[in-house]
Amino acid sequence: MCGRYASTLPPEMMVELFKLLKSIDIVPRYNIAPTQPVAAIWEAQGRREGHFARWGLVPGWVKDPREFPLLINARAETMAEKPAFRDTLKHGRCIIPASGYYEWHTNPDKSKQPYYITMSDDRPMALAGLYATWMGPNGEEIDSVATITVPANPQLSEIHDRMPVILEGAAVDDWLNVRDVRAAEAGQLALPLADGVLKFHPVSTRVNSARDDDPGLIERAEIAKPQPRVKKVAGGGGQLDLF
């Protein structure tokens, strides 16, 4: 799954890269977590605009968002059938700009090592997403999003078995074009990137805490090597024996 990411794109770069009509007021973020507001892009009446939305999809038919489970990811294999995602795949496709994302590898001792994953040439990512607008009984509105995941390619499977859908080139335009590109066609765009398009490195476990949000989180960290266990040999005068 994709549960944390960074977005450090300047507003003017977002306008140019993603063909926005106007910029949105964003600041660099290095540890964006579920339930937080995120910048997302979608089209309405043929106009492409940036919006802020809650990360954690709330379909429009939900009665009380507080009692609905947190949906931060949608599996590409099942999103066309799941009630929570079926309509948004038809009418609510979006992209979520990112500089990179984090994934946690489970070590043999069950500890988890975070990695920061970026494009191999450091260009920005366009994460495929779905959005919905929930309207409450008193007129309140909540825009919300979920990212889409697929099975990891062989390179990324070293870290985790899933990865986000990252769109490139014309696929971005087709994904956002809900007027002319049907859900079935859009679903075919949800594919893992080829090996070699991404790169990754280990980072500090400080990223585990959503309270930490600074440039140091994306810097390479050294992974501590496990130390061999030792025991004293009986009657050995304090000698240590490796085993």
Side-chain angles (χ1 to χ4, degrees):
M1 62 181 290
C2 174
R4 298 283 178 86
Y5 72 97
S7 183
T8 62
L9 308 180
E12 59 274 13
M13 182 180 292
M14 282 188 59
V15 170
E16 181 178 353
L17 287 177
F18 301 115
K19 306 172 187 176
L20 301 182
L21 289 178
K22 59 182 180 180
S23 65
I24 58 175
D25 188 16
I26 57 173
V27 296
R29 295 287 310 282
Y30 296 90
N31 193 11
I32 300 172
T35 73
Q36 294 179 352
V38 303
I41 297 167
W42 59 76
E43 289 186 358
Q45 288 83 46
R47 306 190 333 165
R48 187 177 296 185
E49 297 181 340
H51 303 264
F52 285 107
R54 172 186 181 267
W55 188 9
L57 190 78
V58 181
W61 45 260
V62 170
K63 292 184 178 180
D64 186 348
R66 294 170 297 181
E67 298 179 358
F68 192 72
L70 187 64
L71 301 178
I72 65 170
N73 297 144
R75 285 178 172 256
E77 304 95 307
T78 58
M79 62 183 174
E81 290 80 37
K82 295 286 186 180
F85 306 124
R86 187 170 50 215
D87 289 340
T88 55
L89 181 60
K90 296 176 183 177
H91 311 296
R93 301 193 297 268
C94 67
I95 60 171
I96 300 168
S99 304
Y101 73 96
Y102 299 96
E103 197 56 85
W104 280 256
H105 173 69
T106 303
N107 297 316
D109 63 358
K110 304 304 180 183
S111 65
K112 292 182 180 293
Q113 171 61 50
Y115 285 80
Y116 184 57
I117 303 166
T118 61
M119 303 295 283
S120 58
D121 57 3
D122 296 319
R123 56 197 162 93
M125 295 176 171
L127 305 181
L130 301 172
Y131 80 90
T133 300
W134 179 85
M135 300 187 66
N138 299 315
E140 63 270 37
E141 294 186 8
I142 299 175
D143 289 331
S144 59
V145 297
T147 54
I148 298 172
T149 68
V150 288
N153 63 26
Q155 178 192 20
L156 269 294
S157 64
E158 299 177 18
I159 300 175
H160 199 271
D161 62 351
R162 305 287 298 180
M163 66 184 294
V165 173
I166 303 169
L167 301 172
E168 299 184 283
V172 173
D173 297 328
D174 289 342
W175 182 260
L176 292 177
N177 186 0
V178 296
R179 294 173 301 166
D180 305 315
V181 179
R182 296 179 179 272
E185 298 172 278
Q188 295 176 7
L189 302 172
L191 301 169
L193 290 180
D195 283 1
V197 180
L198 297 170
K199 63 182 178 181
F200 54 85
H201 60 260
V203 294
S204 168
T205 54
R206 286 200 303 119
V207 75
N208 295 350
S209 172
R211 292 190 298 271
D212 289 328
D213 190 347
D214 60 78
L217 295 177
I218 66 174
E219 295 178 1
R220 178 183 292 273
E222 295 298 324
I223 300 178
K225 295 181 179 179
Q227 298 297 315
R229 293 183 299 163
V230 298
K231 70 175 182 179
K232 289 186 177 181
V233 178
Q239 278 189 311
L240 299 180
D241 182 33
L242 297 180
F243 72 103

